[in-house]
Amino acid sequence: MKPTVLVATTARWFPTTRLAMALAKAGFAVEAVCPAGHTLGGTGALDRIHTYHALAGLLSFASAITVATPDLIIPADDLATRHLHELHKRERINRRSGTQICELIERSLGAAEGFETVYARTSFMQIAHEEGVRSPKTEIIANIRDLAKWVARMGFPTVLKANGTSGGDGVKVVNTVEEAEHAFRKLQAPPLMARAIKRAVVDQDPTLVWPSLFRRRFVVNAQAFVAGREATSTIACWKGKVLASLHFEVLKKVGSTGHATVLRLIEHSEMARAAENIARRFKLSGLHGLDFMLEAHTGNAYLIEINPRTTQVGHLSLGFERDLPAALNAALTGKEIQPAAKITESDTIALFPQEWARDPKSEFLQFAYHDVPWEEPELIRSCIRKAKHIPRSSRPGLAVVLSGDRRLDPVAAPAQSGSVRLDCKAD
C-alpha cells in the first residue's frame, strides 16, 4: 500500500498545491487539511481534502489526523507547524505522550525538544553556533536601552526580527538610531485588533488574534547585518539525516524581505554542511528550510534562519539527491530512492506564479526555466484569476508571455514555433 501523507496548511499558498502534486507523483497517497477554496481542490493529486477552519485550527488539524490516519504530516506554513507543536504539547500535558498523535508529529517534524527553539531566533542561532555553523551574532532586545547598547557595539545597518512572525512581516533592516527605535517599537507592539481580524477573516490566519486580545508583546531580536547575497536551502530529513537537498541563490524576491521569485541552483559545501549539522542536532524529519546570507567578499554562508516546514521549492525535482518527495517516500517504504525525471537542465528557475505576479515583463520569464504546471491548465487559470494586483494591461486579455517558448492561455490553441498558447480571458 502507498504511504499516506497529510499536507497541512492554514493559508491559500499556491506552492502547497505543487508540493501535493509532487508527493503524489513520488508514490504517496495524499490528503490535505486546508482552507476552503484552496487550489489544492483543483488538482487530481489528492485523495481527500479536510477543511481547515481558522477559528478552530487545532480542532481542524486533530480531526483531519484522526480521519486520514497518515504516515507523515507535512506542514506548509508556520502556523500549521505551530498547530502541530500545540497538539503535541496538549497530548503531553494530558499525559498522553505515548499516543499515536505525539509519535506521528515527532516522526513528521523531529525531536520534540526542538519545537520551542525553532521559533526562538536567538536560542536557535546560539545552538547553530554550538554546532559549528557560521551565523551572525544575535541577541534578544528587551528595551530601548538594550537597543542602544547593541547599536553602540555593532553599528549600522542592523537587522531586527520578531519571534513568531513569518513571510518577512517581522523583519526590519535599519540604518539610523531613529529607524531602529521606531522599528523596535513597531515589532514589539501587540497587533491592532483591526489587523488581527482582517488577517483571521480574509487570510484565514488567526495568529494575531490572541496577541491582540491580550496585548501580548513580541520578543524582538537584533542580528548582525551580513552584506552579501541571499541564499536558501530546502532539505528532506529522516531521524536527523539529510536525504536530499536543494541549495539556491536568490536572484529576485518580492520586496526587501518577501519571498523569493527567481532562484539559481548552486553547489555550496558550507550550506550543505550546515544543513547536515542542524538536522542532526534537532533530529529533524520531514521537509525544512534554511535561509543564508552569502558574504559578498568571501562567499561564506551565514545561517540566519530556519523554517520548520516545507518551502515554496519543495516540489522541484532536479535529479539524484535533489528530489525531496522521492527521498521521503523511500524513507517510509524502505525502498531505494526513485527520483522523478529532472525538470530542467537550466540552473535558473523562475517560480510560477510568483515571478509573473512580481513583474509580468520580467526578463527571467524569457530565459530562465519557468516552472509552470502545464499539465494542470485549471490550476494555471486559477492562479491568473487570483492575480488581482496585476495591471489589467499585463493580465489576461492579452496573451501573457510566461516562458521563452510558451504562452499562457486556458484555451490551448496552437501557437507559432510549436509553442503552447493559452488565450487568457479577462475576468
Side-chain angles (χ1 to χ4, degrees):
M1 294 180 62
K2 292 181 178 180
T4 298
V5 60
L6 178 68
V7 176
T9 183
T10 68
R12 298 184 180 89
W13 184 225
F14 178 69
T16 307
T17 303
R18 301 298 303 278
L19 176 64
M21 294 163 58
L23 289 166
K25 190 174 182 179
F28 285 98
V30 185
E31 299 193 24
V33 52
C34 62
H38 198 291
T39 53
L40 280 161
T43 175
L46 272 68
D47 291 359
R48 181 165 45 185
I49 290 181
H50 311 267
T51 302
Y52 171 77
H53 300 283
L55 299 181
L58 291 185
L59 181 62
S60 299
F61 272 42
S63 176
I65 291 170
T66 299
V67 174
T69 61
D71 299 290
L72 192 72
I73 306 173
I74 297 181
D77 57 79
D78 290 295
L79 179 57
T81 302
R82 286 195 287 269
H83 280 341
L84 295 175
H85 289 174
E86 186 62 28
L87 279 176
H88 186 280
K89 182 178 179 180
R90 289 190 179 189
E91 292 291 304
R92 294 185 69 172
I93 289 175
N94 293 326
R95 298 185 178 180
R96 297 195 293 267
S97 59
T99 64
Q100 290 183 340
I101 281 188
C102 282
E103 293 173 357
L104 171 62
I105 292 173
E106 290 186 41
R107 183 166 69 248
S108 301
L109 303 180
E113 304 86 71
F115 288 177
E116 293 294 329
T117 305
V118 293
Y119 283 112
R121 298 178 190 270
T122 294
S123 297
F124 173 75
M125 300 308 291
Q126 289 172 347
I127 290 176
H129 182 73
E130 291 173 8
E131 291 300 313
V133 175
R134 196 189 304 273
S135 54
K137 185 174 180 59
T138 306
E139 290 182 5
I140 292 175
I141 303 297
N143 49 50
I144 293 296
R145 188 181 303 107
D146 286 350
L147 181 62
K149 291 179 180 178
W150 170 271
V151 167
R153 282 186 287 120
M154 305 302 295
F156 292 110
T158 200
V159 185
L160 298 179
K161 298 182 175 183
N163 286 352
T165 60
S166 60
D169 286 345
V171 179
K172 299 291 183 183
V173 179
V174 294
N175 293 282
T176 67
V177 171
E178 291 75 16
E179 284 183 11
E181 292 181 354
H182 176 75
F184 171 76
R185 292 189 178 97
K186 186 173 182 179
L187 290 172
Q188 188 187 51
L192 296 174
M193 179 55 71
R195 180 187 173 208
I197 293 174
K198 183 265 181 186
R199 178 79 68 88
V201 175
V202 178
D203 302 328
Q204 296 286 298
D205 180 355
T207 51
L208 300 182
V209 172
W210 295 116
S212 178
L213 283 173
F214 293 104
R215 310 308 297 159
R216 187 181 304 153
R217 291 182 175 275
F218 291 98
V219 174
V220 177
N221 310 265
Q223 189 172 86
F225 181 81
V226 179
R229 311 179 309 280
E230 293 183 45
T232 185
S233 298
T234 298
I235 54 178
C237 309
W238 192 247
K239 298 179 180 179
K241 181 181 179 181
V242 175
L243 306 175
S245 58
L246 296 168
H247 307 293
F248 295 99
E249 178 185 348
V250 176
L251 301 184
K252 287 290 180 181
K253 60 187 298 186
V254 176
S256 60
T257 59
H259 58 267
T261 61
V262 182
L263 305 133
R264 182 172 67 86
L265 184 68
I266 60 174
E267 292 281 356
H268 200 291
S269 59
E270 192 173 16
M271 290 173 65
R273 187 165 58 253
E276 292 168 357
N277 291 352
I278 293 298
R280 183 180 62 251
R281 174 64 181 262
F282 289 93
K283 299 182 178 64
L284 297 181
S285 287
L287 302 182
H288 300 265
L290 298 169
D291 292 336
F292 296 86
M293 288 297 298
L294 302 181
E295 193 173 31
H297 62 282
T298 65
N300 291 335
Y302 284 78
L303 177 64
I304 59 173
E305 195 157 294
I306 185 172
N307 298 300
R309 52 169 172 80
T310 184
T311 67
Q312 60 179 340
V313 296
H315 66 283
L316 296 173
S317 176
L318 295 172
F320 181 66
E321 296 185 343
R322 289 175 172 172
D323 186 328
L324 279 60
L328 286 181
N329 185 273
L332 280 168
T333 61
K335 300 177 181 178
E336 290 187 9
I337 298 177
Q338 300 292 328
K342 193 175 181 181
I343 59 172
T344 181
E345 293 298 326
S346 174
D347 61 0
T348 304
I349 298 174
L351 299 175
F352 175 81
Q354 293 95 307
E355 177 62 5
W356 174 68
R358 186 193 69 82
D359 180 6
K361 299 179 181 179
S362 168
E363 61 180 347
F364 290 103
L365 302 183
Q366 299 294 330
F367 73 80
Y369 172 76
H370 197 190
D371 187 41
V372 183
W374 298 107
E375 70 277 20
E376 294 279 356
E378 283 297 331
L379 201 55
I380 298 172
R381 289 191 194 98
S382 177
C383 286
I384 293 174
R385 285 195 295 266
K386 291 178 180 180
K388 300 297 185 184
H389 66 287
I390 301 295
R392 185 163 293 274
S393 61
S394 298
R395 288 183 58 211
L398 301 175
V400 181
V401 177
L402 290 179
S403 71
D405 62 348
R406 298 194 181 197
R407 289 173 179 265
L408 193 64
D409 169 42
V411 187
Q416 296 179 354
S417 304
S419 62
V420 176
R421 180 187 174 98
L422 298 178
D423 184 17
C424 306
K425 304 294 190 257
D427 294 349

